[in-house]
């Protein structure tokens, strides 16, 4: 009788451990760029709409410099994604003029194609990524997986309202990084 109870306890413990361990290995949540801007205050709609629809790149770039603090307040990032393991497609932009074994980069959505030097995306559309394995950066989009944190990082290129410790970076296709997402 004692052996049967012990065997059941071991079996129950192993089963619970398997279930608990399995939940920690859950699939990442695939998100698009629109989900990163979900918490934009409605009071900022006109300001952001004006910025995003500037017909000339030079006007948009000037606006980005002059009103950067207001844009940061109007693009806080999505609190609901903070701490979640996510997978998102975008373009890796190295922080330094280095393209091999890049361990730190900004992940951004597609930029305007009618500008020679487009202004940076709004802060809730930039993710500062740390990837210890390093990657080779080129013009192709990538899928990045890792834990997303809502925390502001300012670089010489752009302000990011998110950080991520990437666990995986894989090739994506251009349709997977739609500018309307």
């Amino acid at each position: 009788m004692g052996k049967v109870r012990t065997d059941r306890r071991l079996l129950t413990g192993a089963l619970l451990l398997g279930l608990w361990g399995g939940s920690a290995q859950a699939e990442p949540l695939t998100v698009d760029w629109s989900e990163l801007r979900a918490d934009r205050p409605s009071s900022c709609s006109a300001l952001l709409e004006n910025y995003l629809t500037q017909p000339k790149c030079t006007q948009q770039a000037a606006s980005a410099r002059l009103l950067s603090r207001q844009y940061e307040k109007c693009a806080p990032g999505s609190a609901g994604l903070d701490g979640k393991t996510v997978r998102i497609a975008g373009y890796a932009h190295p922080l330094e003029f280095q393209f091999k074994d890049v361990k730190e980069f900004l992940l951004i959505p597609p930029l305007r194609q009618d500008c020679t030097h487009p202004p940076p995306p709004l802060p809730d559309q930039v993710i500062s990524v740390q990837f210890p394995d390093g990657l080779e950066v080129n013009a192709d989009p990538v899928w990045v997986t890792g834990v997303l944190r809502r925390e502001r990082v300012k670089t010489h290129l752009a302000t990011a309202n998110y950080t991520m410790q990437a666990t995986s970076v894989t090739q994506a296709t251009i349709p997977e990084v739609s500018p309307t997402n």
Side-chain angles (χ1 to χ4, degrees):
M1 196 64 136
K3 182 168 176 36
V4 172
R5 282 190 184 148
T6 303
D7 288 346
R8 282 188 182 167
R9 286 183 190 155
L10 286 174
L11 182 60
T12 303
L15 182 62
L16 289 173
L17 186 59
L19 290 173
W20 178 75
S23 66
Q25 302 292 331
E27 286 293 312
L29 176 67
T30 299
V31 298
D32 63 42
W33 293 97
S34 66
E35 293 173 77
L36 298 182
R37 56 182 180 259
D39 290 351
R40 287 182 179 172
S42 58
S43 60
C44 294
S45 298
L47 176 71
L48 294 177
E49 183 66 25
N50 184 48
Y51 173 73
L52 295 170
T53 59
Q54 286 289 334
K56 295 186 179 180
C57 298
T58 53
Q59 291 173 335
Q60 190 178 25
S63 177
R65 285 189 299 278
L66 293 172
L67 300 172
S68 63
R69 290 183 193 253
Q70 284 180 296
Y71 294 140
E72 286 176 13
K73 290 177 186 172
C74 289
S78 177
L81 293 173
D82 189 30
K84 301 255 169 106
T85 300
V86 302
R87 179 177 181 255
I88 187 167
Y91 292 90
H93 195 296
L95 293 172
E96 303 301 328
F97 197 71
Q98 174 186 340
F99 300 96
K100 293 185 185 275
D101 197 32
V102 175
K103 297 181 186 318
E104 185 176 2
F105 59 91
L106 299 179
L107 188 70
I108 59 174
L111 299 176
R112 290 178 66 162
Q113 297 300 304
D114 60 340
C115 297
T116 305
H117 298 287
L122 291 167
D124 64 358
Q125 298 292 281
V126 181
I127 303 170
S128 177
V129 179
Q130 300 286 323
F131 186 53
D133 294 348
L135 77 142
E136 189 170 323
V137 175
N138 56 37
D140 296 328
V142 292
W143 282 104
V144 180
T145 303
V147 176
L148 189 68
R149 297 279 178 210
R150 191 174 79 156
E151 56 189 351
R152 182 168 294 150
V153 173
K154 291 188 178 212
T155 72
H156 62 285
L157 297 174
T159 298
N161 276 357
Y162 296 100
T163 62
M164 180 187 286
Q165 280 293 128
T167 55
S168 167
V169 178
T170 58
Q171 187 173 358
T173 62
I174 291 172
E176 294 172 320
V177 193
S178 169
T180 58
N181 283 348

